[in-house]
Amino acid sequence: MVFGCIPTQQLEFVETTSTSISSTTSTTTSTTTSTTTTTTTPIIYECPDSTWTMLDRTTYFWCIFVLLEARQANTFQTECQNINANAKVSGIQNLAEISTITSLAMAKGADSSTRLTIGAKRSANCWLVAITASCTKLTSFEWTDDATTGTDGWNWASGQPDNYNAPEDFVVLWVTSAVMEDGWSSSTSLGTVCGVKATVAN
Ligand SMILES: [Ca+2]
């Protein structure tokens, strides 16, 4: 139904609409007839192209692209936008997404040195502190892609985030160990994960 997409990149929601038709005839007796017709309209979503991988985030589909390039962590936002104008450095919604991301990275040649900058920044009120009662493993950082929500995606390495050289304001995901660590936005990462919402196919 959609041109230019491989089947695994297409997922669909099925919307159900109901139409009721009623008629009433009055003579010496009264008869009411009601008919319900159900039609289904599939909506096909697609990623920018087949190099992106579609993730089902229940209420929307999210497309990710693993980019392996050695760059200063805070420059990856521009790198993602160069690939797709609407893309941002992706957050991580849940642990299953970590598995998908690390698999994609390994398929592109990532190794044990590969750490990917992900779409998160240290919360302002946790800027200079490590773990405290109010700055926990779940609240010290915020997602920055305007899509990822909640705290199910956090999977810190042991002892992280430690804000050791405060402010460690960015987060990297180590590919082979699938755990996260806070670090400087000015330090070098070996790649990133770009993300953009899937759009309705024409
Ligand atoms: Ca750290």
Side-chain angles (χ1 to χ4, degrees):
M1 292 184 67
V2 180
F3 301 106
C5 291
I6 61 176
T8 55
Q9 295 303 309
Q10 295 177 5
L11 295 170
E12 64 184 45
F13 287 126
V14 176
E15 287 195 344
T16 301
T17 55
S18 297
T19 306
S20 296
I21 304 169
S22 301
S23 62
T24 303
T25 303
S26 298
T27 50
T28 52
T29 60
S30 181
T31 305
T32 301
T33 304
S34 180
T35 304
T36 300
T37 304
T38 300
T39 57
T40 57
T41 307
I43 301 174
I44 307 296
Y45 286 83
E46 62 183 5
C47 289
D49 62 45
S50 63
T51 66
W52 294 71
T53 299
M54 191 181 287
L55 305 175
D56 184 352
R57 287 186 165 180
T58 306
T59 55
Y60 64 94
F61 292 107
W62 185 242
C63 303
I64 58 170
F65 181 95
V66 173
L67 174 68
L68 296 186
E69 262 184 20
R71 287 187 176 276
Q72 192 169 303
N74 57 12
T75 66
F76 279 118
Q77 189 64 49
T78 301
E79 293 302 308
C80 286
Q81 285 171 338
N82 286 343
I83 297 170
N84 181 279
N86 296 319
K88 296 185 176 181
V89 177
S90 179
I92 296 177
Q93 186 65 41
N94 52 50
L95 299 184
E97 292 190 2
I98 294 180
S99 180
T100 301
I101 290 165
T102 56
S103 294
L104 290 169
M106 296 297 280
K108 286 188 171 184
D111 59 28
S112 60
S113 70
T114 307
R115 54 210 180 270
L116 306 175
T117 293
I118 61 172
K121 66 176 180 183
R122 181 168 283 279
S123 305
N125 62 328
C126 301
W127 199 248
L128 295 176
V129 300
I131 298 298
T132 66
S134 58
C135 295
T136 70
K137 287 175 180 283
L138 302 183
T139 63
S140 290
F141 283 82
E142 300 167 347
W143 305 117
T144 55
D145 61 12
D146 296 322
T148 306
T149 56
T151 58
D152 290 346
W154 296 117
N155 190 42
W156 295 103
S158 178
Q160 302 291 333
D162 59 1
N163 210 6
Y164 186 75
N165 290 300
E168 293 192 337
D169 50 344
F170 267 47
V171 179
V172 292
L173 172 69
W174 290 92
V175 168
T176 53
S177 54
V179 294
M180 300 164 180
E181 180 178 347
D182 58 341
W184 287 338
S185 58
S186 59
S187 62
T188 299
S189 288
L190 297 187
T192 194
V193 185
C194 303
V196 67
K197 279 189 177 179
T199 55
V200 177
N202 293 313

